[in-house]
Each structure stands twice: as C-alpha cells, then as structure tokens.
C-alpha cells in the first residue's frame, strides 16, 4: 500500500491526534510532516515571492502551504516510494480509502485528487473503476483545496521548486489545466470523493491560521496599472475559457462530486 503523509503544525496536537486516530481505525499507518510556518520562510524567499510591491505576490501563509506539500513530496522521494497519499490535517477520509489505495499506483495519472468541496467541476466520462467501486475521471476545472491527493514520484520530481508553485497558491498551480505546472500533469479525480475538509464546527476543523489581509502595495501605488493588468487577466481568462468550452463541447459535463459516506 502507498505511504500516507499528513501535514501538521506543531501547535495543533488535536489535529495530529484526529488524523492518526481516524487512519488507525481503518488499519492505515501514516507519517507526520511538520508544516512550514510563516516564521520558517527565509527572508530571501519572502523578498522574492511575497513582495506586495510587485504586480502579483504570494502571502507568506500561501507560500508556507506550498513548501509544506513539497516537504511531503520530498519525503516520498527520499523513501523511494513510487507514489504517496498526501493529506492535510483537517481531512476527513472515507471508509473506501484503504481499498482505493491498493489500486491507486496502477492508475495512469500524475495526480489523483480525492477531495471534494461540494463545488461544480467539469469532468470527462469515467475512465476506469476499480474493485473498490471508486471511479476516476479526468477533469478540466481548477478546484480549490489540497486536503487530499495521490501524487506519483515522477510528478513530484518535476514539481519541487517549480516556478509556478511560487507564483500561485498550491491548488491553483496543481489543478489549473491552462498554466504550468498543472497543464503538464495528467490529473484525475475520484468519483466519489474520498476526503473532505472538516467543518469549522468540529474541534479539529477550527483553523488558527490567521487569514492575513496583506495590503497590496503595488495596487495602492499604481492603481491604473493594477486595474489594467486585472482587466487583461480577466479578458484573457474569458477568451481562453470560451475557446476551451467550444473545443471540449460534448466531452465534458458539470458535476458536484459527492463524498463517499458510510
């Protein structure tokens, strides 16, 4: 079975206990990955990627998220595993997960998203269905969230340190079908989904990461240029999406991927 890594902050022992308890109840062993915090980010990286004086930038917590996932990928490579399941520490996982993990390595994909957020996703017809009953589909949307996915080792080697992961949030970089590195990845998702983030009402679901609203200095100093850049990006995305919708017509359907309940 594939190794399982979960990302956890040292100040959240409650989430550590939650993850290890729920996985152990399914007979699954897991390995904790210490999350990268804002304080861990070097000044050099902060100046390069988190500089709000630039037209686009990452907030430190966003870069920390990416670096945390890269730690998990590197652990997989260091252990010589061909693939691994990566989870965040607020992921509720389905009872179908153990059976699916027995099948995951054989699936022809770089990245297998097992998460659902309840949002609409443009998906292709079912590509395969294993004995677990879990199907996989290609998808053409950019879903939010990186609470759970299987990643192959070769994909991890290409992704670690990729510039695209320093310019956009982790999920936007991995799942965007139009820009690198997502464009070069063969990405599928499970149907039904095998994990979802805990609701804020659950103790372990409570987040203590401050959603910092860092003022965008470039927007304040160069309001006209910023407005023009935003309009250009909006128009580019609109034209690109329209062309893609026409090219993919008849091949895709919009679905909300359900979570596999007990």
């Amino acid at each position: 079975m594939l190794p399982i890594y979960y990302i956890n902050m040292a100040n959240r022992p409650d989430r550590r206990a939650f993850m290890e308890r729920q996985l152990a109840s399914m007979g699954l062993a897991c390995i904790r990955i210490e999350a990268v915090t804002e304080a861990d980010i070097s000044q050099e990286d902060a100046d390069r990627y988190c500089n709000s004086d630039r037209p686009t930038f990452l907030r430190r917590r966003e870069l920390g998220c990416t670096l945390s996932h890269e730690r998990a990928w590197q652990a997989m490579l260091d252990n010589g595993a061909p693939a691994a399941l990566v989870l965040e520490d607020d992921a509720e996982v389905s009872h179908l997960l153990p059976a699916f993990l027995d099948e995951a390595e054989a699936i022809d994909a770089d990245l297998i998203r097992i998460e659902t957020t309840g949002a609409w996703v443009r998906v292709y017809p079912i590509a395969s269905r294993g004995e677990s009953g879990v199907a996989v589909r290609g998808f053409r949307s950019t879903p939010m969230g990186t609470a759970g996915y299987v990643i192959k080792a070769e994909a991890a080697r290409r992704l670690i340190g990729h510039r695209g992961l320093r310019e956009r949030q982790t999920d936007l970089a991995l799942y965007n079908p139009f820009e690198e590195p997502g464009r070069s990845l063969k990405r599928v998702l499970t149907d039904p989904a095998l994990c979802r983030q805990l609701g804020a009402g659950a103790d372990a679901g409570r987040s203590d990461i401050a959603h910092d609203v860092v003022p965008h200095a470039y927007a304040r100093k160069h309001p006209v240029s910023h407005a023009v850049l935003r309009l250009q990006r909006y128009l580019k995305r609109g034209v690109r999406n329209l062309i893609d919708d026409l090219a993919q017509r008849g091949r895709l359907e919009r679905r909300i991927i359900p979570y596999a309940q007990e």
Side-chain angles (χ1 to χ4, degrees):
M1 187 175 289
L2 302 182
I4 300 173
Y5 299 98
Y6 74 95
I7 298 165
N8 171 250
M9 296 177 66
N11 65 346
R12 292 306 301 267
D14 56 329
R15 286 190 173 185
R16 177 176 185 170
F18 165 75
M19 291 300 294
E20 295 183 355
R21 182 171 59 248
Q22 72 163 334
L23 292 170
S25 72
M26 299 179 185
L28 298 174
C30 56
I31 301 168
R32 179 180 176 272
I33 299 295
E34 179 74 30
V36 176
T37 68
E38 295 181 27
D40 297 325
I41 296 173
S42 70
Q43 190 59 49
E44 180 183 2
D45 281 348
D47 292 342
R48 183 178 302 172
Y49 306 118
C50 306
N51 185 350
S52 71
D53 282 316
R54 296 182 176 178
T56 60
F57 73 107
L58 284 180
R59 290 174 172 83
R60 285 182 181 242
R61 61 178 171 82
E62 294 169 339
L63 180 57
C65 177
T66 292
L67 296 176
S68 297
H69 282 265
E70 289 189 356
R71 275 187 178 177
W73 304 343
Q74 188 61 57
M76 170 185 63
L77 296 177
D78 291 345
N79 288 336
L85 172 63
V86 178
L87 298 168
E88 294 178 350
D89 64 1
D90 60 348
E92 177 186 7
V93 299
S94 164
H95 67 290
L96 295 178
L97 180 62
F100 175 75
L101 290 180
D102 287 336
E103 305 165 351
E105 186 181 343
I107 294 172
D108 181 21
D110 296 312
L111 201 65
I112 307 170
R113 177 180 170 87
I114 70 167
E115 177 184 8
T116 185
T117 61
W120 292 93
V121 185
R122 295 191 305 156
V123 296
Y124 292 102
I126 289 174
S128 65
R129 187 187 300 274
E131 293 184 7
S132 65
V134 178
V136 295
R137 302 171 175 266
F139 62 99
R140 197 75 182 160
S141 296
T142 310
M144 302 297 288
T146 48
Y149 57 88
V150 173
I151 186 170
K152 301 293 181 66
E154 183 53 42
R157 290 188 187 95
R158 302 199 311 266
L159 286 169
I160 292 175
H162 194 289
R163 183 173 182 83
L165 285 159
R166 303 296 184 270
E167 296 173 341
R168 292 180 294 282
Q169 296 174 46
T170 317
D171 46 8
L172 300 182
L174 292 180
Y175 297 134
N176 190 322
F178 304 108
E179 299 179 29
E180 296 296 345
R183 182 171 61 188
S184 297
L185 296 172
K186 185 170 184 180
R187 302 158 304 116
V188 299
L189 53 75
T190 61
D191 188 358
L194 304 178
C195 88
R196 61 185 177 183
Q197 285 188 308
L198 286 169
D203 288 342
R206 174 185 57 81
S207 175
D208 55 5
I209 297 177
H211 284 264
D212 53 320
V213 182
V214 177
H216 193 177
Y218 181 90
R220 177 174 55 80
K221 295 176 182 177
H222 311 283
V224 175
S225 296
H226 178 65
V228 170
L229 288 172
R230 289 189 63 184
L231 178 61
Q232 288 175 339
R233 288 195 293 267
Y234 176 79
L235 293 174
K236 179 181 177 181
R237 283 197 301 267
V239 171
R240 179 194 66 194
N241 291 346
L242 176 60
I243 293 172
D244 191 63
D245 282 340
L246 293 173
Q248 301 291 334
R249 179 164 292 179
R251 302 178 60 201
L252 292 165
E253 63 172 315
R254 295 179 72 243
R255 291 175 59 90
I256 294 176
I257 303 300
Y259 174 68
Q261 305 267 12
E262 295 288 349

